[in-house]
Amino acid sequence: MSFSDNLEAALLDHVFGNTAYTPPATFHVALFTTAPNTETGASGVEVSGTGYTRAAVTNNTTNWPAASGGSKSNGTQVNFPTPGSGGWGNVVAFGIYSASTGGTLLGSANLAIAKTINQNDPVNFPVGQLTITLN
């Protein structure tokens, strides 16, 4: 996952400048049918199908265990609601936001394999599948 320009600037100011940065208490994982620009978040098309909402993940060490080797992954499964009539289309990317709607895109990545989400398909990211890396 690549950090957005907004998050990169906030973290740089925090580390180099002692400017306070308060991370969100809850992250919201979004799905995209057209991937957003990984730096600006522009041009992405978020899923809008029946039953879709971003998946809320509380920001704690159970859901995001300690980093190791320059990366961090989800420690619990991230679950989305069950897709309704018509499904959600071909999902190609995910992003992590600061809010359940709108908000700031903190980072995004393309899925290794795009997935067509049909009505009633279970949609989740198993433990360890959302990986954030700094290098």
Side-chain angles (χ1 to χ4, degrees), residues 38-57:
T38 56
E39 296 297 319
T40 66
S43 302
V45 177
E46 189 171 352
V47 167
S48 62
T50 304
Y52 173 78
T53 59
R54 294 176 183 170
V57 183

Side-chain angles (χ1 to χ4, degrees), residues 79-127:
N79 296 304
F80 288 85
T82 302
S85 178
W88 295 345
N90 191 45
V91 174
V92 299
F94 75 93
I96 298 178
Y97 280 88
S98 62
S100 60
T101 60
T104 300
L105 178 65
L106 303 173
S108 65
N110 291 330
L111 299 177
I113 299 171
K115 170 81 173 142
T116 299
I117 307 297
N118 297 306
Q119 181 176 344
N120 296 324
D121 282 348
V123 182
N124 60 63
F125 287 99
V127 172

Side-chain angles (χ1 to χ4, degrees), residues 55-76:
V57 183
T58 301
N59 187 7
N60 60 37
T61 56
T62 299
N63 293 329
W64 303 103
S68 175
S71 67
K72 182 179 269 272
S73 298
N74 57 311
T76 57

Side-chain angles (χ1 to χ4, degrees), residues 18-47:
N18 201 25
T19 302
Y21 173 73
T22 303
T26 302
F27 292 112
H28 300 273
V29 181
L31 301 174
F32 292 91
T33 56
T34 301
N37 177 293
T38 56
E39 296 297 319
T40 66
S43 302
V45 177
E46 189 171 352
V47 167

